[in-house]
Amino acid sequence: MQTAIYTFPGYHEEGEEIAETLKISAHEIKVHHFPDKESRVTLPEKKYDHVILFLSLDYPNNKLVELFLTCKSLRQQGTQRISLVAPYLCYMRQDKSFQPGEVISQQVIGQWLSDLLDDIITVDPHLHRIQSLDAVIPETNTIVVSATPLLAEFVKSLNKTVHLIGPDEESLQWVKSVAQISDSPYSVAKKERLSDTHVEIQLPEIDYNNQHVILIDDVISTGHTVSQTADKLYSEGAKQVDVITTHALFSKDAIALLNNAKIKNIWSSNSISHPSNLISLNDLLAQQIRSLL
Ligand code: R5P
């Protein structure tokens, strides 16, 4: 079976590096946005039996339509197998109806992806009440990898004594794993989310005086969670607060908020392209793609 990677805009560099490791070719999908934001998608001319699409699904609404257009068109032209490498997987947070009438978007988008794709490789999806991605994206080969060993190697490479903190209960799984591998102490704060941009953080009761703290979270979006945690840590005497995140969503103003909270270093994996990317997932993703070839 002839296989190639097709990259969406913004992901060609990563796709090419991975393709080179795997000794397969990478081609660019071109996307044009008309003034009303409709998308025109142009596929590579060369056709393959197995196409591996590379596209992180942050800011997903347009991208989902472009993915749909791509997959339908590939099937029409005879592509037998379509795999998606989406280091960040969207629409995972709404896994139940919190209010009457609220759509459970995780289920709807999961089924939609399942109808389009044979395989999905993703990194640390934000699953909360649903444990397994198989339950979300049925009848598709789902491969979930974790970035936490790489985050832990990064912490080790700093060669400093640090205390790791997860800003909420959901972050326990990530911070615990990073702490175990990097042999660092860790604890987890409590968070109450009052709105998209309003959270209340309660720190665990330990002595922060003169401590160097690194906050570990899977996603930073508005930045309110980590900024408020950093404010509290500094008011309790911490000497430095840094953050490491897997998925650098960073909505507008998030970086300014982190800077105002005096967070010194902002480090992230390249699951979503961002200037803070310092931890490459490319080898990890290449290993998983190899298992599909
Ligand atoms: C929530 O459970 C996640 O792990 C993050 O803490 C959350 O998405 C961060 O959101 P924000 O940056 O908007 O506070």
Side-chain angles (χ1 to χ4, degrees):
M1 210 183 240
Q2 275 212 314
T3 305
I5 296 183
Y6 284 8
T7 55
F8 281 81
Y11 290 89
H12 197 59
E13 212 177 294
E14 282 94 341
E16 268 206 325
E17 193 184 312
I18 291 172
E20 215 175 294
T21 307
L22 297 170
K23 306 210 176 335
I24 57 177
S25 55
H27 304 271
E28 219 164 329
I29 292 176
K30 295 202 165 43
V31 176
H32 171 74
H33 290 136
F34 291 105
D36 65 351
K37 298 282 182 271
E38 231 179 56
S39 307
R40 180 185 65 207
V41 175
T42 309
L43 299 179
E45 276 179 39
K46 195 158 165 29
K47 298 183 177 35
Y48 293 86
D49 309 312
H50 178 193
V51 169
I52 298 163
L53 301 170
F54 198 102
L55 169 72
S56 218
L57 289 170
D58 53 311
Y59 296 91
N61 293 359
N62 265 19
K63 290 179 175 181
L64 286 172
V65 172
E66 288 146 20
L67 184 66
F68 182 73
L69 295 169
T70 298
C71 291
K72 287 289 178 190
S73 182
L74 285 173
R75 295 289 187 204
Q76 275 166 11
Q77 69 185 36
T79 305
Q80 290 168 36
R81 185 173 181 184
I82 306 177
S83 311
L84 171 68
V85 180
Y88 177 73
L89 195 57
C90 58
Y91 281 103
M92 290 297 112
R93 55 162 83 87
Q94 187 80 25
D95 59 4
K96 72 174 219 182
S97 268
F98 296 91
Q99 304 291 337
E102 255 179 23
V103 171
I104 307 174
S105 34
Q106 187 194 64
Q107 279 176 6
V108 178
I109 298 293
Q111 185 60 55
W112 197 46
L113 292 173
S114 167
D115 294 343
L116 294 177
L117 299 158
D118 297 291
D119 317 277
I120 294 187
I121 297 176
T122 192
V123 181
D124 294 323
H126 191 83
L127 300 178
H128 185 196
R129 281 156 286 260
I130 310 285
Q131 298 301 315
S132 147
L133 197 61
D134 285 338
V136 178
I137 309 176
E139 293 149 35
T140 292
N141 174 32
T142 58
I143 300 178
V144 172
V145 286
S146 182
T148 51
L150 294 172
L151 307 190
E153 287 310 319
F154 183 78
V155 169
K156 276 209 250 178
S157 74
L158 298 173
N159 215 8
K160 299 224 166 93
T161 305
V162 292
H163 189 98
L164 305 180
I165 291 191
D168 54 28
E169 287 97 334
E170 286 174 30
S171 63
L172 173 66
Q173 53 184 312
W174 326 113
V175 71
K176 187 175 171 188
S177 161
V178 174
Q180 281 169 345
I181 303 170
S182 65
D183 203 15
S184 313
Y186 74 96
S187 30
V188 172
K190 284 200 175 111
K191 177 169 84 180
E192 192 186 353
R193 182 173 285 286
L194 303 167
S195 74
D196 284 349
T197 55
H198 188 186
V199 294
E200 293 290 345
I201 301 287
Q202 200 188 330
L203 291 179
E205 282 183 19
I206 53 175
D207 183 9
Y208 297 102
N209 202 32
N210 223 21
Q211 293 240 28
H212 180 176
V213 175
I214 301 184
L215 300 175
I216 307 280
D217 209 354
D218 61 333
V219 182
I220 299 178
S221 177
T222 65
H224 282 274
T225 299
V226 289
S227 301
Q228 189 171 136
T229 313
D231 283 342
K232 297 231 156 168
L233 285 163
Y234 281 124
S235 68
E236 299 262 338
K239 71 169 179 211
Q240 182 172 329
V241 181
D242 301 319
V243 298
I244 303 180
T245 188
T246 304
H247 304 299
L249 269 180
F250 291 125
S251 60
K252 194 171 147 280
D253 301 334
I255 292 293
L257 207 63
L258 269 63
N259 289 336
N260 281 344
K262 300 197 171 36
I263 291 174
K264 189 158 180 212
N265 295 294
I266 304 166
W267 296 301
S268 63
S269 90
N270 64 344
S271 107
I272 295 170
S273 300
H274 187 266
S276 62
N277 293 166
L278 216 64
I279 301 165
S280 174
L281 301 172
N282 296 1
D283 286 346
L284 185 69
L285 294 172
Q287 270 172 36
Q288 300 307 319
I289 296 171
R290 198 189 301 279
S291 73
L292 303 180
L293 301 181

